[in-house]
Amino acid sequence: MMAGVDKFQFAIDRGGTFTDVFARCPGGKVRVMKLLSEDPANYTDAPTEGIRKILQEECGISLSKDQPVDTSLIDWIRMGTTVATNALLERKGERIALVITKGFRDLLLIGNQSRPKIFDLEIVRPEVLYEEVIEVSERVVLHQKGCRLSKAMNSETLKGSTGESLDLWCPLDFKTLQTELQRVLEKGIQSLAVVLIHSYTWSKHEQEVGELAQRLGFQHVSLSSEVMPMVRMVPRGYTACADAYLTPCIKRYLTGFRAGFKDVLKDVNVLFMQSDGGLTPMKTFNGSRAILSGPAGGVVGYAVTTYNEESKQPIIGFDMGGTSTDVSRYAGEYEHVFESTTAGITIQAPQLDVNTVAAGGGSMLFFRSGLFVVGPESAGAHPGPSCYRKGGPLTVTDANLCLGRLLPDYFPKIFGPEEDQPLSKRDTLREFQKLTDQVNSFLENQSQHVSNMTVEEVAMGFIRVANEAMCRPIRALTQAKGHDTSQHILACFGGAGGQHACAIARSLGMKTVFIHKYAGILSAYGMALADVVHEAQEPCSVIYGPESFKLLDQRIAVLKQQCITSLQGQGFQKAQISTEAFLHLRYERTDCAFMCSAKGYPGNENFCHEGDFRTAFCLRYLKEFGFTIPERPIVVDDIRVRGTGSSSIHCEKQLKPSGLPARVETMTKCYFENGYLDTNVYYLEDLTCDHIIPGPAIIIDKNSTILVEPECTATITEFGDIQICVDREKIPVIGTELDTIQLSIFSHRFMSIAEQMGRILQRTAISTNIKERLDFSCALFGPDGGLVSNAPHIPVHLGAMQETVQFQIKNLGQDLVEGDVILSNHPCAGGSHLPDLTVITPVFRKGISYPVFFVASRGHHADIGGITPGSMPPHSKSLEEEGAVFTSFKLLKGGMFQEEAVTEALLAPGKIPGSSGTRNLHDNISDLRAQVAANQKGIQLVNELIDVYGLEVVQAYMAHIQANAEVAVRQMLKEFAVRCRKQTGVQTGLLEVTSEDYMDDGSPIRLSVQINEKEGSAVFDFSGSGYEVIGNCNAPRAITLSALIYCLRCMVGQDIPLNQGCLAPVKVIIPKGSILDPSAKAAVVGGNVLTSQRLVDVIFKAFGVCAASQGCMNNITFGNDNVGYYETVAGGAGAGPYWHGQSGVHTHMTNTRITDPEILEKRYPVILQQFQINKGTGGTGNFCGGDGVIRQLLFRDNVVLSVLSERRAFRPYGLYGGEPGAAGLNLLIRADGRTINLGGKTSVELNPGDIFHLQTPGGGGFGLYEEDGTSKRTTQTVSQKDKTTECFQERGSVYEYRRTQETV
């Protein structure tokens, strides 16, 4: 693998828009080229054309485009490609079929049952990759000690690769399978994905399916047990599907690529970049590991060129292109994730943690209700920004052009319909003038006099808002792992990043920006610097300890040898090969696992030969979460070895000082905070290592434009790279009057406070509910208790905490002093249900006797006592049966944690006959301390904001943000009133809409909405709703307000600050003593999870927005003395005026994920026999409602089953002639064959062999069904709306964290 010094070496990144080529020529000369990835009029393949051009120009020979390229002069080719990513995004992969265990045909459609965007009523779920599904009769189950099923006792016992034992319940039905495979083949489908339950540990059935399929003629078969043998059937299934869907596309591309060269590249070493940052030979490059092929090269590029082994200062990679912005981190080791979602498909494979956080230069600009908004919509490559001369929208690129930061004369003339024109500043200015007029029109209508804005001020405002929006995920990426953002270097690359780097670094407190001389093609350059990697991995299931060390050492040794053998087969010498072992470790009874290396932690006789993995795991856990759990065993889930063949080249040439001043190419004027400034323009190729460039300045190279802002200084390094020293941020002096730019920035800052509080809470909490399920909310409130910002946006928490804070202000008054922290959960004090404990801390300022702000955190505690474990009894009749109650409990007095008093209160329910105190006191106390710590972080951040801007200004912008939400809601109400009058023809008199629906016990929920269309205000009157009920479906007032805010946000239809302002135009009337405002002693646990859904149905019915969704969360609990389990189950979504309802998904007030079938069966005494869509249960109509699901559980031991559900009597309504969805059904099938209807709410003792059969409700239909068949029942996932723009595809750990928060 030694570099051929007399031959050409090519590193190529084939991106979605451009292909970048880095070439090292004989003698060391470097060539760089950028060309369009698609240009069929001139060439068939961009990488091949790039190689041909460079060979032709450097060798002075003519190479015909029609003939294969001569390879005699080529040493190696390294490539990254978006072929796989584009096929996934555009759904243009291979036609595939899925083979799956019987009973699970819709498992990958349902996925984890959560919806992607919680406020979108039209639920758009990514399309599945397969066309056909074959359910195969076969079943193995994990062997469980104590299993009391006779079938388990009499079945054949198998040994899995993890050491786990399994029972063979049903052998593979070859005859039926062969018939089904033949049927699929006859349809022209030749690629197959196979996922059978528990195949991660016992793969024989999958292998037999694969062998049969290949004998029958399938061209490609992806077995989940081979593609990625990790536990969890759903992501493993997605990964197998992605592999079957993408690998044939890659193979076709590679065949075409090879055909462009003589002897199909026979003697040329061709390597491809994988998602993990390592190169692999062409023949082993596959779909599931190719998703981040291009971006991975950029990470390697900045890691190798920027990181200093001596200083060890960590780096943030900032790659801002035209259509996306990627952020990553490097601190001496590549940061990998092992499960990531791209285009809706969750893939289990090692991937660099590259976070796509924004739409790049193509991010569209909007002015909404007084707020500057950037993205997430993108102009894309076509039509592109306004300046591209194709009628596109205003974007970030246009803002930079407007401000003079982009110079059209230095861009190629590739724009306009004929792609032969320069960038058009005139088009940009024309569109910005329109937007500026819109901004000024809004300002002129405000009560405060605010001077009009200029075009430049508006453009500058959007740049500042865009920068702030990109800073938030960078903070999240670093702070999530306990790192200080300001201590990083910002490594900037990509075509658009150089215009924003200084401002972003300054905002984040970073002092240094590093821009490599090849920043415009850094992904390609990274390919040249990368190593060849071979990985081997296998599942495991042992406790890490002395008794398992021998087994672990043996398995690591086997995997190491696999890596070494593979790399030696590629020509590497033993001295060039290194291996590193990893164990995938987690604490027992938790889901938070880390892939840990023992590098730096040498072993001895007390540890594995590889090193001390326990210490490595514990130190990482401590770093990320602030504590460890010493008494808890550590579980090994997987063993992984990464083998590396060192093959990188080094082509950095040291520059010589010129001894002359830097040559100024020209001077231009750029707009900054203080107006236009004279700005020197330089060519990077004219600069050398003795040049220092003070800002403001623009440095141009062939592929990017770099802005050196005022008070910043750029120096050219000895290798020709740019290092910018960034000054500290100068905070502009602002007043209390409304500044729309500052309004947008403060909106991000206020949200950032709530988000950072949440990170601290998640890091320091100990319970699974808070640490891993992220079932919490953090919020900031004004001095009157009005909500300012809230994160994450859990529907049932929206607005509810505001009621709690305002109750404490009213109840405690002067008794609330500095050093106090309040604990509350009582429904009459703004609580939702008792397990949601709210911790409130007042924010004081020196010299002010009253709180200037409040911060609060609400977390769901797994148990706080009561008559059943989990504190969510289905049959409670009073509040005291549901657990410990706190109204205005002082958790801290004078800064001292009142542990004894809170312990006593948590154990108090045990004094009630039939009830118990908390069953998990240790977790309660730990999580309450974490909530206090989160609040302290909020106080720190609020005070820092006040220190910078002053209390008066911060409180003024708090009010401005609330007013902004109010404006958006008023506008929505006005627009609804206009539509309503138009539809009804009633032009005068009071505008009133009404609706009602019923709980299953007959209790009505009634609503009358009177709308003042002139003011944009409304009265929501729930008078006539049913009385408080004897059961637990009573909903505290806070639940009604949460449901109302959720509905208002959905109907507004765009991102708005969710705060007190949403309810400002609304008066809410709730009758005392009703089911919606019960007495202080009423049971409420069902109100939180059931009545909240009915409230949403009633509100949407009044406004005619959409048909009813399933209207239930289907709460299922089972347990015994050893285990306890709780889940909610998806159903059908309601149809709307232009969409079919989605099937098998959670709706409205819940979005919880469901446990993977393999984890469920591994941890609990249950077998999941069926989980699939219940076809035909959605209501018919012009648009059909979504179908519910069937879920069937077979129990292996004695348990108590509790069911808390609704919509078993009253079906989800249809609208405008649409039919209602089917009601749900809860059946118990006894082992003796009896079938019993359990009703909607019950607790029942089950015996081994009993089956719980659940059918969840469907959604209602919308509009009359057309007899001509224009309405078709469908699982359609693509929106019916005409979408002229696209949103960028988010990915990475920051995105996964937020998605998890939104699935609570």
Side-chain angles (χ1 to χ4, degrees), residues 254-577:
L254 295 182
T255 299
F257 176 65
R258 291 165 63 200
F261 296 86
K262 280 187 179 177
D263 300 323
V264 291
L265 293 169
K266 179 182 176 185
D267 296 318
V268 179
N269 183 25
V270 183
L271 299 169
F272 275 79
M273 176 62 79
Q274 299 184 112
S275 300
D276 63 358
L279 297 163
T280 193
M282 187 159 47
K283 66 178 183 293
T284 58
F285 188 49
N286 64 43
S288 61
R289 295 187 178 230
I291 302 299
L292 296 186
S293 177
V299 176
V300 174
Y302 82 74
V304 174
T305 59
T306 310
Y307 187 72
N308 186 309
E309 286 289 349
E310 293 181 4
S311 70
K312 298 192 181 300
Q313 187 172 0
I315 306 160
I316 292 293
F318 178 68
D319 177 7
M320 185 176 180
T323 54
S324 67
T325 299
D326 291 339
V327 173
S328 54
R329 181 178 183 274
Y330 183 80
E333 292 182 352
Y334 294 113
E335 296 188 353
H336 290 102
V337 291
F338 296 86
E339 188 174 301
S340 186
T341 303
T342 299
I345 302 299
T346 302
I347 294 175
Q348 282 183 326
Q351 302 177 45
L352 290 171
D353 187 15
V354 177
N355 291 265
T356 303
V357 299
S363 296
M364 290 168 58
L365 312 181
F366 306 94
F367 184 73
R368 292 175 178 156
S369 307
L371 208 61
F372 280 58
V373 179
V374 179
E377 296 87 350
S378 170
H382 300 285
S386 289
C387 59
Y388 280 20
R389 297 176 182 265
K390 292 182 180 178
L394 280 177
T395 67
V396 169
T397 296
D398 289 298
N400 279 311
L401 180 63
C402 175
L403 299 174
R405 300 173 177 206
L406 293 178
L407 306 175
D409 291 346
Y410 296 88
F411 275 73
K413 294 182 179 181
I414 57 172
F415 305 101
E418 304 301 321
E419 299 184 348
D420 58 355
Q421 298 291 308
L423 284 173
S424 173
K425 190 168 184 177
R426 185 173 64 179
D427 287 0
T428 290
L429 291 175
R430 183 185 67 243
E431 294 304 311
F432 257 115
Q433 187 60 61
K434 294 178 185 176
L435 187 56
T436 302
D437 292 343
Q438 182 186 341
V439 173
N440 288 332
S441 175
F442 174 86
L443 294 175
E444 287 164 4
N445 291 324
Q446 299 307 297
S447 55
Q448 292 181 325
H449 175 71
V450 181
S451 57
N452 283 357
M453 298 181 70
T454 66
V455 165
E456 290 84 358
E457 287 171 337
V458 170
M460 188 69 197
F462 278 110
I463 293 294
R464 292 180 61 193
V465 172
N467 291 340
E468 185 63 33
M470 287 185 283
C471 285
R472 271 174 62 189
I474 294 174
R475 291 190 191 100
L477 179 67
T478 50
Q479 293 170 356
K481 297 180 174 70
H483 307 299
D484 183 348
T485 312
S486 67
Q487 298 305 306
H488 292 67
I489 294 171
L490 189 69
C492 177
F493 54 109
Q499 296 135 48
H500 299 260
C502 289
I504 284 175
R506 183 186 287 123
S507 184
L508 293 169
M510 297 178 179
K511 300 177 181 64
T512 304
V513 172
F514 187 89
I515 302 174
H516 194 270
K517 61 176 174 287
Y518 298 135
I521 60 144
L522 197 64
S523 289
Y525 187 53
M527 315 281 175
L529 304 177
D531 292 322
V532 178
V533 168
H534 181 87
E535 289 208 355
Q537 182 171 323
E538 64 180 39
C540 188
S541 185
V542 300
I543 299 296
Y544 183 81
E547 63 283 356
S548 64
F549 288 163
K550 183 177 179 182
L551 170 67
L552 294 173
D553 283 333
Q554 289 172 347
R555 299 315 306 161
I556 288 171
V558 169
L559 297 179
K560 271 190 170 185
Q561 191 54 52
Q562 287 179 22
C563 293
I564 292 169
T565 301
S566 173
L567 291 169
Q568 286 179 330
Q570 296 176 47
F572 286 96
Q573 302 301 312
K574 201 160 187 180
Q576 295 175 283
I577 298 173

Side-chain angles (χ1 to χ4, degrees), residues 950-1030:
L951 176 61
E952 192 178 4
V953 168
V954 175
Q955 288 187 336
Y957 274 91
M958 170 202 76
H960 294 325
I961 290 292
Q962 291 170 334
N964 175 256
E966 179 183 342
V967 167
V969 173
R970 287 189 187 277
Q971 185 63 34
M972 181 274 293
L973 291 170
K974 290 176 182 178
E975 290 172 358
F976 170 76
V978 170
R979 288 197 310 273
C980 192
R981 289 206 184 276
K982 186 176 180 180
Q983 289 171 0
T984 61
V986 178
Q987 301 300 319
T988 59
L990 178 70
L991 180 61
E992 182 177 17
V993 292
T994 62
S995 67
E996 70 175 1
D997 206 341
Y998 295 86
M999 303 295 289
D1000 279 352
D1001 66 357
S1003 296
I1005 308 288
R1006 294 194 173 100
L1007 172 63
S1008 166
V1009 185
Q1010 297 99 35
I1011 300 173
N1012 183 325
E1013 58 200 289
K1014 186 176 180 182
E1015 294 180 359
S1017 62
V1019 176
F1020 284 73
D1021 187 352
F1022 290 93
S1023 297
S1025 295
Y1027 295 106
E1028 175 183 318
V1029 296
I1030 191 67

